[in-house]
Amino acid sequence: MITVKQSLDDLSRGLRERPDEIMLEIGAGGELLIARIRIGATLLLLLLPIANLLLGGSYYESFSGALGAFGAFLLSLLWLRLAKHHRLYRWLPFVSAACDVSMVSAVLCTLALNNPSAGLNSVVVWCCYPLAIISTSLRNDVRVCLLAGGLAIVQFSLLSIFIMHQGSSPVASVDYGTVSVSNQVQRIVILIAISMLTAVVVYRMQLLVQLSGTDGLTGLPNRLYLNHRVPHLLQQAKLENATLSIAIIDMDLFKRINDDLGHIIGDRALRHAVQILREQLNAEEPLIRIGGEEFLLVMRMPIGSAWERIEFLRKHLNANPFLSHRDAAPRTMSFSAGLACCPHDASDISGLLKHADRRLQAAKLQGRNRVIARE
């Protein structure tokens, strides 16, 4: 019972929180992969109606299957085209997942028009529901998983209720057997189980990536974020013809705090500095811990505006001293920073870091507690 409750709490948290940016970036690659797999799968599905017709199946069933597979193929081409520009279509995973599920329901409805029992007892078509739900795991977003699962459950339940209430006699056929309430309930339970399991697996993946990309002491993104996310931010800035600036921030003489007060107090001092800085930053300004008492701040603005931003943060930190304990004397904290911008200084992350680090060293040589944006 505790495990079930914990899993439900995890799902609830996953719905409330937006997935990690790294997960979304990986999920965008998953959406592109699904789009390519979808094209291959629909081409294979086109062979099923042909095989059914050659093996003595009805013309109507073969035509319905071919029509559904061809429609799915056309949509697959559209999803593939949109997935190549995923940053412009953030809604794509939700719409494509909903469309995959709805296509399965549409084929079942088409079969039911000619043979009501086929609409509920066609195992081959029904198995496409679990495939559509499980494939959402490649998108790395719990919300998409639960959307696909919930939609499959609702659509199949409504289809079952509608067909089973059409007349008093049992719904049955020679090819598909008798439609029973127990069979439909079992299938709905299976869909619920698959949806929950897929969502929990995806949430655990999100949590793992978040933990691996988060600094344990400060709660800031770490070098994993720097290596995987910042290059995409640079690429996005280039596509939008925008300017992106970075700042390497290094706490001044922080080793003295560790030497004078100990590493435990030093950790508290570092968390204090991070808290003071984060209070002034917005969601579009990620602060990354890249090692020790050194940080990287990414800003979507020209270097002049970035200098003013960092200078404000420097003064704000100076104005909020650290108290090691209640009766201790306030200890002023400061930092030195070096800036660089894309595309003026460099167009890649290594070049930007090189320029920013050189200016950081210049700030230290000039007496620390200052920000330098130009040599």
Side-chain angles (χ1 to χ4, degrees), residues 18-19 30 42 47 186 197 202 252 283 293 305 314 318 325 341:
R18 189 171 185 266
T42 51
L47 299 177
Q186 290 171 12
L197 181 61
V202 171
D252 292 331
E293 59 273 7
S305 300
R314 184 188 65 80
N318 291 163
H325 52 85
C341 78

Side-chain angles (χ1 to χ4, degrees), residues 205-227:
M205 289 169 54
Q206 289 181 356
L207 189 61
L208 179 61
V209 171
Q210 184 177 0
L211 290 175
S212 63
T214 302
D215 175 60
L217 176 63
T218 62
L220 295 176
N222 60 17
R223 278 192 170 272
L224 181 66
Y225 188 99
L226 171 64
N227 295 333

